[in-house]
Amino acid sequence: MQPAIRVELHPAVIRSNIARIVQETKVPVIAVVKADAYGLGLRDVIPAIDDLVAGYYLFQPREVIATAGHRLTRKSFIAAWCDDSQVDELLSHRIRPAAWSVDQAMRWRSCDPVLAVDTGQQRFACPPEQIDAVLAAGGCREAFTHASSVDQARHFQAITAGRSLVRHAAGSSLLEIAEARFDAVRPGFALYRGSVRVTTHLIDARDSRGPAGYTGFIAPRHGVIPGGYSNGLAAGVCMVNGTRRRILEIGMQTAFVELGPTDRAGDEVTLLGDGLTEDDVAKSWGCGRHEALYRLARCGIRVQV
Ligand SMILES: *Cc1c(COP(=O)(O)O)cnc(C)c1O
């Protein structure tokens, strides 16, 4: 039986995204694999890219521990929020905690902590005036900030200068900005964009007889796909037989799609890929591209191709 929704993961696309980023930025890539690699599956993603990246970044130690992520690579994981994690647990999973207070830095000194610097986000990061105290307490050799503007990257440059630290600031949105590059870049979305193709098929197709569905939508012809909001889908854009169409109404496990005259039950419906980008879907759903990618990556049965 074919899955109701098929989520194809194309590791070759992730690899070529990384190769392009390395070529353009000329610095190593720390791959952001938080939230199970943006929904794509950390266990599939890490082995596919491990030779191309310098290390990994994610949110919590639990993400490494629960997936045995440390067995998939010899490289280390920077974890943003280690809370009260134990030193031996961090060490045995090759997790380097982000530290932003003297207390944390002291506690995690043996784990090679990374200084997190606040340049505007105002969370999980050290205020500029405490940088030297935290660096000293943790013996930190590396510092990063979660910059979302060039000004924040410049500020990071200024407040961390002259301390011979390995530094990184740029996620996907600042990859093009030379000033934001420092010693590495730390993208997530830019690694994965274009690497997921999501398809389903029409389980019904018919000419409409007046208003249809719960909402009484009007369309000359419509079909049904076996996916709804319980899968994380929303009304918005899709493609049927190479033509952009609308998902007109979303139900719990099914959705209504507008159709052209020749579309038939059994035909494939593309929810992402084949020219339909994460940005296209995000726009039609009224959300960000990260959220669109995550929801689509999670909406069906994942297969590697
Ligand atoms: C999520 C995250 C990134 C990656 O962001 P993208 O926009 O997906 O590239 C980089 N750094 C930190 C601290 C993050 O939390």
Side-chain angles (χ1 to χ4, degrees):
M1 208 177 90
Q2 64 177 325
I5 306 177
R6 177 180 154 97
V7 178
E8 284 174 16
L9 177 61
H10 294 257
V13 175
I14 309 179
R15 290 184 64 82
S16 69
N17 287 344
I18 297 172
R20 190 167 358 94
I21 293 166
V22 170
Q23 195 183 17
E24 281 168 13
T25 65
K26 302 190 172 55
V27 293
V29 169
I30 298 168
V32 177
V33 292
K34 65 191 181 196
D36 204 19
Y38 288 41
L40 277 63
L42 183 139
R43 286 174 151 279
D44 291 332
V45 167
I46 288 181
I49 65 172
D50 199 46
D51 59 321
L52 301 179
V53 302
Y56 299 93
Y57 174 95
L58 35 62
F59 182 55
Q60 288 184 72
R62 186 194 309 155
E63 299 173 68
V64 181
I65 297 163
T67 54
H70 62 300
R71 300 232 170 85
L72 305 171
T73 175
R74 304 291 313 156
K75 292 164 184 166
S76 60
F77 295 85
I78 299 172
W81 193 65
C82 292
D83 195 21
D84 53 359
S85 294
Q86 300 302 311
V87 163
D88 52 356
E89 187 176 55
L90 296 172
L91 286 173
S92 64
H93 292 87
R94 242 174 296 110
I95 297 167
R96 301 176 60 204
W100 60 88
S101 72
V102 168
D103 176 58
Q104 291 173 331
M106 275 168 49
R107 200 166 0 125
W108 294 326
R109 192 178 169 98
S110 61
C111 305
D112 198 10
V114 185
L115 170 70
V117 178
D118 185 16
T119 52
Q121 284 261 343
Q122 305 181 45
R123 59 166 196 199
F124 315 135
C126 173
E129 63 275 12
Q130 286 165 28
I131 286 175
D132 286 311
V134 178
L135 284 175
C140 304
R141 302 172 298 123
E142 188 168 333
F144 76 100
T145 190
H146 195 10
S148 50
S149 71
V150 187
D151 279 349
Q152 290 175 347
R154 286 198 190 114
H155 186 42
F156 180 62
Q157 153 64 21
I159 60 184
T160 56
R163 293 174 178 83
S164 55
L165 291 162
V166 171
R167 293 182 291 175
H168 39 98
S172 301
S173 66
L174 293 181
L175 289 177
E176 262 112 78
I177 312 289
E179 277 179 279
R181 277 173 202 157
F182 300 94
D183 303 305
V185 288
R186 206 180 55 246
F189 182 80
L191 310 178
Y192 308 121
R193 77 179 317 157
S195 71
V196 178
R197 180 171 178 267
V198 182
T199 56
T200 181
H201 54 278
L202 294 171
I203 55 172
D204 191 1
R206 63 180 69 214
D207 294 330
S208 313
R209 287 182 292 125
Y214 291 100
T215 54
F217 64 81
I218 308 273
R221 188 171 166 78
H222 69 263
V224 177
I225 56 170
Y229 55 75
S230 69
N231 305 89
L233 299 179
V237 70
C238 68
M239 293 223 309
V240 186
N241 292 316
T243 302
R244 285 206 184 197
R245 300 284 181 195
R246 306 267 326 155
I247 294 179
L248 298 164
E249 185 185 296
I250 191 95
M252 192 176 283
Q253 290 174 293
T254 59
F256 286 103
V257 185
E258 69 173 338
L259 296 181
T262 57
D263 299 327
R264 298 276 174 268
D267 288 356
E268 191 173 69
V269 177
T270 304
L271 302 175
L272 179 65
D274 305 338
L276 193 62
T277 67
E278 296 87 353
D279 286 299
D280 294 334
V281 177
K283 198 163 160 236
S284 79
W285 286 3
C287 69
R289 48 165 77 159
H290 295 67
E291 181 180 341
L293 172 61
Y294 184 88
R295 285 165 61 181
L296 285 161
R298 288 307 231 218
C299 77
I301 305 293
R302 209 161 50 222
V303 291
Q304 278 219 51
V305 291

